[in-house]
């Protein structure tokens, strides 16, 4: 469905025809004007008419309809096609979800296509409409503003994930009382979220560098510094995500090492208790044998003496294991 459709002339929003074709003709017939159409999960029938009137490339149209694309920049004869993957942090579930955003830029028009509930462009449009000096740059200004908003939100989400990771790290290194199985599950879940985040930030580096350079149609030379700024922010976000991934791998290794140490401690304790139980068992086993000639059997104090002997042996072993940290 078409969420918004407006003509911008000299940096100001103008009332235009409701029909898309008439609006495009009016934008192309005016000086310093362009048309911006925003669509949210359009059907094939809805998008075919827009694609036909705007002369969008069939391959780009197919990508925009099917979604599930990696971030990329495609240059066609009559338009640019940029794919972005906005990410949204859900504080209730402590999770990251990614959506998709496609931007077509051509002669006097911009078409944005959103898939998913994340990254609505209404706020971006309102902010741009309050900055007519940027909107005067034409369709490139929309491409820059959308890219900048997506990348800046990457940094915000990375900060939220950093807080969650610090809490997870504190849980892993808590002395006792933690559920090892639940902690390991949280670490793996967190790692999958960071991986999803990296799929959004990593591939976007090359398109941003390309937009910041020369030779890209519909991107003027004066707009290149703005895209360089976006590229710098993206590099910062990518470094944050990679740092999260490395730290998460270290936390996972530390958690597995802790589990190994705890298992060794448990085995030492079990072995110590088994050794203490073995001494009285051995003595009782010897005196439990039904032999006729056992010299100690005729002693009056043999029974209490054996009990004392077993108790002394057990206490001695206990003190030995306690001193060595096995108990």
């Amino acid at each position: 469905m078409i969420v918004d459709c407006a003509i911008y002339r000299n940096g100001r929003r103008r009332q235009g025809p409701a029909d898309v074709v008439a609006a495009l003709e009016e934008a192309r017939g005016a000086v310093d004007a362009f048309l911006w159409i925003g669509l949210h999960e359009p059907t094939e029938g809805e998008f075919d008419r827009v694609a036909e009137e705007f002369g969008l490339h069939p391959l780009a149209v197919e990508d925009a309809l099917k979604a599930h694309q990696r971030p990329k920049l495609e240059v066609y004869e009559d338009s640019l096609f940029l794919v972005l993957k906005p990410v949204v942090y859900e504080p209730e579930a402590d999770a990251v979800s990614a959506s998709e955003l496609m931007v077509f830029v051509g002669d006097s028009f911009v078409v944005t296509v959103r898939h998913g509930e994340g990254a609505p462009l209404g706020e971006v449009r309102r902010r741009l409409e309050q900055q007519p000096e940027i909107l005067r740059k034409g369709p490139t200004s929309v491409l820059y503003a959308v890219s900048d908003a997506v990348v800046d939100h990457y940094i915000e989400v990375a900060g939220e994930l950093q807080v969650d990771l610090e809490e997870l790290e504190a849980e892993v290194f808590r002395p006792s009382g933690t559920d090892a199985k639940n902690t390991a599950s949280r670490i793996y879940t967190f790692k999958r979220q960071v991986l999803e985040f990296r799929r959004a930030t990593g591939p976007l580096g090359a398109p941003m560098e390309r937009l910041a350079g020369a030779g890209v149609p519909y991107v003027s030379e004066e707009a290149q510094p703005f895209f360089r700024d976006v590229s710098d922010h993206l590099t910062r976000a990518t470094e944050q995500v990679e740092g999260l991934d490395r730290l998460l791998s270290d936390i996972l290794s530390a958690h597995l090492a802790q589990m190994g140490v705890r298992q060794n401690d448990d085995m030492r304790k079990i072995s110590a208790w088994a050794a203490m139980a073995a001494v009285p068992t051995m003595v009782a086993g010897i005196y439990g044998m039904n032999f006729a000639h056992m010299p100690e059997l005729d002693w009056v104090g043999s029974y209490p003496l054996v009990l004392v002997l077993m108790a002394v042996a057990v206490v001695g072993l206990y003190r030995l294991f306690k001193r060595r940290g096995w108990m």
Side-chain angles (χ1 to χ4, degrees):
M1 58 176 294
I2 296 179
V3 178
D4 200 351
C5 177
I7 296 175
Y8 295 89
R9 185 174 183 182
N10 196 26
R12 302 289 182 181
R13 180 167 180 150
R14 307 293 183 185
Q15 292 295 331
D19 182 69
V20 173
V21 178
L24 180 60
E25 291 178 354
E26 181 176 331
R28 285 177 171 170
V31 180
D32 296 329
F34 69 92
L35 175 67
W36 180 3
I37 297 179
L39 300 99
H40 179 230
E41 297 183 353
T43 63
E44 185 173 352
E46 291 172 338
F47 199 57
D48 280 348
R49 183 165 181 263
V50 174
E52 182 180 355
E53 297 298 335
F54 286 73
L56 304 180
H57 197 278
L59 293 177
V61 172
E62 181 181 357
D63 289 344
L65 286 172
K66 290 186 177 179
H68 303 294
Q69 304 295 316
R70 297 175 75 246
K72 62 180 180 178
L73 174 66
E74 299 286 352
V75 179
Y76 297 104
E77 183 178 353
D78 297 324
S79 63
L80 287 179
F81 177 57
L82 176 66
V83 179
L84 301 163
K85 289 184 74 70
V87 295
V88 177
Y89 177 77
E90 301 172 2
E92 296 82 6
D94 290 337
V96 172
S97 60
S99 56
E100 292 193 34
L101 175 60
M102 289 80 169
V103 184
F104 294 87
V105 176
D107 179 22
S108 301
F109 72 84
V110 178
V111 178
T112 54
V113 182
R114 278 196 305 121
H115 289 272
E117 297 301 323
L121 296 179
E123 181 59 32
V124 177
R125 189 186 287 262
R126 285 189 293 270
R127 188 165 61 249
L128 266 180
E129 289 174 354
Q130 295 173 0
Q131 299 174 304
E133 67 280 2
I134 296 180
L135 272 175
R136 290 192 187 99
K137 306 297 182 181
T140 306
S141 63
V142 178
L143 183 65
Y144 157 70
V146 171
S147 303
D148 186 57
V150 170
V151 171
D152 283 349
H153 197 59
Y154 285 163
I155 298 176
E156 296 176 11
V157 173
E160 297 285 354
L161 287 178
Q162 181 66 43
V163 173
D164 287 349
L165 188 56
E166 290 173 358
E167 294 176 355
L168 183 59
E169 184 179 19
E171 179 181 327
V172 169
F173 292 102
R174 195 173 300 155
S176 60
T178 57
D179 186 350
K181 183 181 293 186
N182 184 53
T183 301
S185 177
R186 285 194 61 193
I187 293 174
Y188 278 111
T189 301
F190 205 115
K191 199 165 182 64
R192 289 185 63 86
Q193 293 176 16
V194 173
L195 178 61
E196 184 71 18
F197 202 170
R198 291 187 67 177
R199 288 173 179 167
T201 60
L204 188 57
M208 286 297 107
E209 290 180 1
R210 190 176 177 187
L211 288 171
V216 179
Y218 305 107
V219 178
S220 61
E221 184 176 351
E222 59 182 3
Q224 292 171 12
F226 292 94
F227 286 105
R228 280 197 291 270
D229 181 66
V230 176
S231 182
D232 290 341
H233 290 182
L234 179 62
T235 300
R236 176 184 168 190
T238 302
E239 290 175 350
Q240 285 182 284
V241 175
E242 290 176 351
L244 289 172
D245 190 47
R246 287 194 297 269
L247 184 56
L248 195 57
S249 297
D250 293 341
I251 291 175
L252 179 59
S253 299
H255 177 64
L256 295 176
Q258 278 188 333
M259 291 181 63
V261 170
R262 289 172 185 170
Q263 289 175 350
N264 289 337
D265 289 340
D266 293 340
M267 289 302 299
R268 282 201 296 256
K269 291 179 180 178
I270 293 172
S271 299
W273 284 109
M276 287 188 294
V279 173
T281 301
M282 179 188 67
V283 175
I286 291 174
Y287 280 91
M289 293 186 293
N290 297 319
F291 292 121
H293 303 287
M294 294 184 70
E296 298 87 352
L297 294 178
D298 297 330
W299 295 356
V300 176
S302 60
Y303 179 70
L305 181 62
V306 170
L307 292 180
V308 171
L309 178 63
M310 288 192 290
V312 169
V314 170
V315 171
L317 288 173
Y318 177 81
R319 290 173 62 87
L320 175 64
F321 292 142
K322 190 74 173 178
R323 187 164 56 250
R324 292 188 176 182
W326 285 32
M327 301 292 293

